[in-house]
Amino acid sequence: MEKNIKTNLIYQGKVLDLYCDDVSCDNGLEAKREIIHHSGGAGVLLVNDKKEILLIKQYRYAYNEELLEIPAGKLEKNEDSYKAALRELEEETGYKTEKLKPLGKIYPTCGYSNEIIYLYLASDFIKTQTNFDPDENISKKWYKLNEVLELIDNGTIKDAKTIVAVYRYLYLKK
Amino acid sequence: MEKNIKTNLIYQGKVLDLYCDDVSCDNGLEAKREIIHHSGGAGVLLVNDKKEILLIKQYRYAYNEELLEIPAGKLEKNEDSYKAALRELEEETGYKTEKLKPLGKIYPTCGYSNEIIYLYLASDFIKTQTNFDPDENISKKWYKLNEVLELIDNGTIKDAKTIVAVYRYLYLKK
């Protein structure tokens, strides 16, 4: 356990807030904890009748790279993750579903962020109009499951939520 | 693509630095990008002769929870991930190896951090003295592979690097 002594807000942003708290540890020592506060995320593994998976290619400034990811987005403050997953799915892909199966939740960087990413599976969906977020530059494509596994194996897919969602699906499918 | 217009350092910390950069997007619009700069991490899945996996129970301030994780730690600036993995393994568990097999790398939170976590497998190791980091409060235990898979399934294991490492091992073992 670590006990909060003092909460210090460093920066309040659009995507994240940064705190550097003073804490007291079990051993009696005091320490600083630099922690990102984030409202969380929701991602959807979309699998069609041919067992193909929809991946989005999206430029990510943090890595200066285009990454292959499942459709996902940030939760609004205190938003339900299921509702956010439905919204992001439609916004990013133009597909709509009324039934999401939970694939679990992950803590992506437990050392310095309180973000939780909720993962879902959608296998029953319909096409609506595509409504891309104007701030994002994304393209989408269906991949065979074996292709996706190969892309994880060869290091092309690096995004943690995408890898976990694919493996969770594979594991639960058995 | 997004082109950097101006790099703005907001906070320089011990674990992370925060930037809020001005960028120009493909669509001509300008935007802000709040990005954590992090030196990266390395984690090791330790598997013994009985196919048991060593997990560490560690309090994480960001979640105010004890989490089950593979041994892992932060890279020193520009440190080689292989070397960091060897060091963290010995520091956190008291086990030493000379042979790590790469299990891939993950981008844990690609929307706002440039952290890369490098994952390794160690199946050939010896016991040395345990040398816990005085800032951390950790305990360790061996779990059967099936137990670990059950702990992922029931949501007890939530740490992304741990889940990816276990599933990568399971997948490559076949």
Side-chain angles (χ1 to χ4, degrees), chain A residues 9 39 41 56 69 90 102 114 149:
Chain A
L9 176 64
S39 57
I56 285 176
E69 301 171 46
E90 190 171 359
N114 72 357
L149 293 171

Side-chain angles (χ1 to χ4, degrees), chain A residues 4 14-16 21 26-27 34 61 63 65 107 109 112-113 115 134 137 153 158 160 167-168 174, chain B residues 4 14-16 21 26-27 34 61 63 65 107 109 112-113 115 134 137 153 158 160 167-168 174:
Chain A
N4 176 289
K14 190 183 158 200
V15 173
L16 53 84
D21 292 355
D26 277 346
N27 58 13
E34 294 161 7
Y61 179 75
Y63 295 100
E65 267 184 63
Y107 291 2
T109 47
Y112 63 88
S113 169
E115 183 182 7
N137 185 16
D153 253 10
K158 305 171 192 112
Y167 280 140
R168 288 290 294 149
K174 282 171 194 164
Chain B
N4 176 291
K14 191 184 159 198
V15 172
L16 53 84
D21 292 354
D26 277 346
N27 57 12
E34 296 161 5
Y61 179 75
Y63 295 100
E65 268 184 61
Y107 291 2
T109 48
Y112 63 88
S113 169
E115 182 182 9
N137 184 16
D153 254 7
K158 305 169 192 115
Y167 279 140
R168 288 291 294 149
K174 282 170 193 161

